Amino acid sequence: MTFDSIRGQDRAVQTLRGALGRGRLAHALIFAGPPGVGKRSTALALATALFCKNEPGLGCGACEDCHLMETGGHPDLFVEDLARAREEKATATRLSIAQIRRARSQLSMRPVMGDKKVGLVDQAELLTTDAQNALLKTLEEPPGQTTLILVATNPDALLTTIRSRCQYLLFAPLERELVRELLVDEGFEADLAESAAALAEGSLDRARALAADGGLEYTAELRTKLARLPKATLPQVLDLAAELAAPRGEKGHAQQQLNRATVLDWCRDRVLEAAAGTEPAVGTEPDDHDRLDDVRRALRRVDRAYAINREFERNANSHLAWDRLLLDLRQSR
Ligand SMILES: [Zn+2]
């Protein structure tokens, strides 16, 4: 994993290469941006560039350090994420203080291969407050030649004191055409790749979830269910909430993001629909007043969907959040 293999994030990569070239890379960085746009890959490429002794600041792709990075076994890189949290507790939904303590103690040990250590905390928005406070200590007294990278889809969930100590790097959504290309490269059919890329809003993760295992059909079905919400019974609404909250094995996280994105999209479409209104019958005036009311209602729904999306990033209990969102959508008139 070198900078050359990162697609669609030229600006972020240039910034990092520039900082490395001038010896001005911060000790702690936040990579912020939507899911599935290459934040974690770029963090790994940065670690490669730091470790590589053949082409320092770049990564040669051939030396022992680069090889170990490629196989995921570099002894001077430490990764903490939700997957690791779940190795200890299968139902974990947050990154724990124990994980941050472990990262801290590992970073304080002497490097094995050279003189540098890199710590990567992925899904940092899921850190508990205790874990964030522990992290703050590491940021205040960075041990030796270490670089700490926090990857986050929602950096607002991090303490201000953490954010102020890190260099910020923003990752933009990927171009639709690039997402399509990457899906085709991964072996998806051209038509499927095209449709999935169109709905993915620049996220490769989301595009993959859409393209794989009938994701497009699933999304269409979900939209139909949402359209029927105002007429659904209470048990039907709660059933749908349970279905949306249920983690689906390995893909649980991607599926959750897809569900949330689909609901947000659907709410946004209602705004456009309300704004367009229906054509008035021949000989009658359009009722602007009613139309404005419809737009306001639709905007309120988007607002709620956004608010609950932010809540999902922080709240462990996604089932409860889904209940509330769907009940809201059912009765928001
Ligand atoms: Zn190398």
Side-chain angles (χ1 to χ4, degrees), residues 49-106:
L50 285 163
F51 292 144
C52 179
K53 295 175 196 80
N54 272 353
E55 292 183 43
L58 212 58
C60 69
C63 70
E64 195 181 2
D65 284 279
C66 287
H67 179 69
L68 286 168
M69 279 302 297
E70 204 60 51
T71 54
H74 200 290
D76 294 322
L77 171 77
F78 300 101
V79 180
E80 292 294 343
D81 55 14
L82 192 58
R84 286 214 74 187
R86 287 186 173 160
E87 281 170 15
E88 275 140 47
K89 189 176 164 218
T91 56
T93 55
R94 307 292 294 265
L95 307 193
S96 69
I97 186 168
Q99 290 182 274
I100 294 305
R101 284 188 182 139
R102 180 169 57 204
R104 186 177 162 78
S105 90
Q106 281 166 334

Side-chain angles (χ1 to χ4, degrees), residues 280-286:
V282 179
T284 63
E285 291 295 313

Side-chain angles (χ1 to χ4, degrees), residues 205-284:
D205 281 359
R206 191 175 168 199
R208 274 195 203 111
L210 281 163
D213 300 339
L216 286 169
E217 291 80 359
Y218 173 80
T219 307
E221 207 178 295
L222 175 53
R223 290 178 72 93
T224 308
K225 286 179 184 169
L226 291 170
R228 290 188 189 140
L229 270 180
K231 288 182 182 153
T233 63
L234 187 59
Q236 281 170 338
V237 176
L238 298 180
D239 277 356
L240 180 57
E243 187 189 316
L244 293 175
R248 293 161 175 240
E250 249 178 49
K251 289 185 199 153
H253 197 69
Q255 182 75 51
Q256 276 272 356
Q257 282 172 350
L258 184 62
N259 287 343
R260 275 146 52 182
T262 305
V263 173
L264 244 181
D265 275 357
W266 185 80
C267 294
R268 273 191 229 132
D269 286 352
R270 300 288 75 70
V271 178
L272 297 179
E273 201 176 83
T278 47
E279 287 300 314
V282 179
T284 63

